[in-house]
């Protein structure tokens, strides 16, 4: 346990110019006193850990000290080779850099772990796009990716609902969601963070100057919050439906899963026939018609009346088709 903690401490100090005892304690999930003891142990073992005194002090490695990747276990080495998404790296123009990095990591591993890249690739493969969709790499993705890596402002023309607009953006991060690329960026004028689909950019020009990144920005957290907001924002209508047991189980696969789970969790007890009645948020009556139709006879639409009438007409047409 302590050996693993000492290795992590060295790797943390390699990745940053210096760290305070409080920062190390938080990363290692130990007390500052334990950090002091660990630093002393590393120094006695020949690792040049130096402690700067004073309010602005901290720990750092001196003499350009680096450690080789000989402390990796097999599972850790194999996981390392799974950390990239080959298709995504290729679309961002980073395939050659990733390949070179994998070669360097392989060269630094112990001989007993040299086959880690092969064993990982034989067991896991990530295919990000949805079924029945042909993935298309946005033409401007490499330009945007370069700006993200280099923290450079961009001038971008974007095709939105109200036509094409031009924005000065500070590109913070890229997200690949179900085969679609998105840019999370801060608008230079106003400072608000927004999400843009890369395939809707019509022009992107990187500026010469860099922007100062907000180190508190959390890309995964920001995306999770915005994705939830988006999913909620498009559910502007409501329908009232009765569901059989089979219909209730299938509902999360037909409509928004989060909305389905929420209404089913708060549904009242089943009626005498074992059916439950729920009020379901949907994007529109048109979308609800297409989604709920997949449940067939396991759902009955109660309201609105116009949607119920559409299903009634569908039922009549189906009955006529199968009477032949």
């Amino acid at each position: 346990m302590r050996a693993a903690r000492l290795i992590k401490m060295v790797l943390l100090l390699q990745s940053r110019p210096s760290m305070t005892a409080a920062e190390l304690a938080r990363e290692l999930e130990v007390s500052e006193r334990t950090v002091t003891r660990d630093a002393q142990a590393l120094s006695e073992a020949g690792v040049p850990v130096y402690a700067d005194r004073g309010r602005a002090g901290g720990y750092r490695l001196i003499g350009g000290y680096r450690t080789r990747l000989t402390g990796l276990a097999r599972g850790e080495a194999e996981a390392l080779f799974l950390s990239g998404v080959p298709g995504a790296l290729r679309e961002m123009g980073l395939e050659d850099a990733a390949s070179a990095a994998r070669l360097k990591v392989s060269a630094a591993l112990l001989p007993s772990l040299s086959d880690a890249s092969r064993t990982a690739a034989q067991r896991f493969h990530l295919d990000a796009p949805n079924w029945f969709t042909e993935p298309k790499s946005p033409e401007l993705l490499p330009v945007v990716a370069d700006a993200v890596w280099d923290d450079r402002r961009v001038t971008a023309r974007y095709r939105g609902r109200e036509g094409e607009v031009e924005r000065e953006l500070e590109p913070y991060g890229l997200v690949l969601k179900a085969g679609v690329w998105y840019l999370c960026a801060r608008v230079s004028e106003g400072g608000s963070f927004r999400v843009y689909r890369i395939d809707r950019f019509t022009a992107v020009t990187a500026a010469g100057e860099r922007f100062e990144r907000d180190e508190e920005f959390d890309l995964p957290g920001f995306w999770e919050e915005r994705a939830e907001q988006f999913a909620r924002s498009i559910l502007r209508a409501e329908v009232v439906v009765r569901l059989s047991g089979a219909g209730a189980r299938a509902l999360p696969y037909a409509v928004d899963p989060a909305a389905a789970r929420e209404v089913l969790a708060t549904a009242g007890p089943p009626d005498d026939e074992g059916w439950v009645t729920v009020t379901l948020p949907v994007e529109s009556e048109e979308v609800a018609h297409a989604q709920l139709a997949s449940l067939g006879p396991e759902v009955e639409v109660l309201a609105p009346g116009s949607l119920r009438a559409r299903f009634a007409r569908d039922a009549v047409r189906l009955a006529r088709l199968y009477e032949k």
Side-chain angles (χ1 to χ4, degrees):
M1 180 69 177
R2 191 189 186 198
R5 189 175 70 241
L6 292 175
I7 292 173
K8 185 176 181 180
M9 183 175 180
V10 173
L11 294 175
L12 285 169
L13 291 175
Q14 280 186 190
S15 65
R16 307 179 194 181
S18 69
M19 295 183 70
T20 65
E23 289 172 336
L24 284 167
R26 185 167 56 252
E27 292 282 353
L28 299 172
E29 299 181 349
V30 296
S31 67
E32 292 185 33
R33 182 173 297 181
T34 298
V35 168
T36 302
R37 289 198 297 266
D38 286 351
Q40 180 64 32
L42 287 171
S43 181
E44 292 174 356
V47 179
V49 178
Y50 181 79
D52 293 313
R53 306 296 178 183
R55 292 181 60 186
Y59 293 92
R60 59 187 175 88
L61 295 175
I62 59 176
Y65 178 84
R66 308 294 295 175
T67 182
R68 289 172 62 84
L69 297 175
T70 54
L72 286 176
R74 171 164 293 277
E76 295 169 331
E78 290 173 343
L80 183 63
F81 286 99
L82 290 174
S83 60
V85 184
L89 292 171
R90 183 172 55 253
E91 291 180 9
M92 288 189 291
L94 299 174
E95 186 175 27
D96 291 342
S99 177
R102 285 193 292 269
L103 286 173
K104 292 178 181 179
V105 171
S106 296
L109 291 173
L110 289 172
S112 61
L113 301 179
S114 60
D115 65 337
S117 61
R118 181 178 59 83
T119 57
Q122 287 175 338
R123 289 164 173 80
F124 299 98
H125 174 69
L126 178 60
D127 186 7
N130 278 333
W131 286 103
F132 313 117
T133 58
E134 182 179 350
K136 295 181 180 179
S137 175
E139 182 179 347
L140 296 172
L141 177 60
V143 178
V144 177
D146 284 344
V148 169
W149 281 114
D150 213 20
D151 292 340
R152 291 191 182 276
R153 288 188 175 88
V154 299
T155 300
R157 295 194 62 81
Y158 186 77
R159 188 175 63 256
R161 293 180 179 178
E162 299 178 359
E164 199 169 86
V165 295
E166 185 171 287
R167 293 281 187 270
E168 298 288 333
L169 302 176
E170 297 175 359
Y172 267 67
L174 291 167
V175 175
L176 177 60
K177 171 71 171 178
V180 180
W181 284 96
Y182 296 88
L183 172 67
C184 300
R186 181 164 61 184
V187 182
S188 297
E189 183 180 348
S192 62
F193 282 94
R194 298 183 184 179
V195 176
Y196 298 89
R197 277 185 61 145
I198 301 295
D199 58 7
R200 291 181 182 170
F201 284 123
T202 59
V204 177
T205 304
E209 73 278 6
R210 291 182 171 89
F211 63 90
E212 185 175 347
R213 176 177 287 268
D214 181 358
E215 296 301 330
E216 298 297 319
F217 178 77
D218 174 22
L219 179 59
F222 172 78
W223 175 259
E224 182 179 0
E225 179 183 347
R226 288 304 174 92
E228 183 177 350
Q229 289 177 358
F230 173 75
R232 296 285 184 179
S233 68
I234 64 174
L235 303 180
R236 301 187 182 95
E238 288 185 340
V239 298
V240 182
V241 297
R242 287 179 71 234
L243 297 160
S244 68
R249 290 190 295 272
L251 187 64
Y253 302 98
V255 300
D256 179 74
R261 288 191 293 267
E262 184 175 326
V263 298
L264 289 172
T266 57
D271 58 24
D272 294 340
E273 297 178 354
W275 291 49
V276 295
T277 299
V278 297
T279 300
L280 181 69
V282 294
E283 184 175 346
S284 66
E285 184 174 317
E286 190 72 28
V287 172
H289 178 257
Q291 292 174 331
L292 295 175
S294 65
L295 300 182
E298 308 304 327
V299 62
E300 177 190 2
V301 175
L302 302 179
S306 55
L307 182 58
R308 181 178 174 86
R310 292 184 68 170
F311 274 92
R313 289 194 296 270
D314 289 347
V316 171
R317 292 178 62 193
L318 282 170
R320 288 174 181 170
L321 283 173
Y322 287 97
E323 284 175 354
K324 297 178 181 179

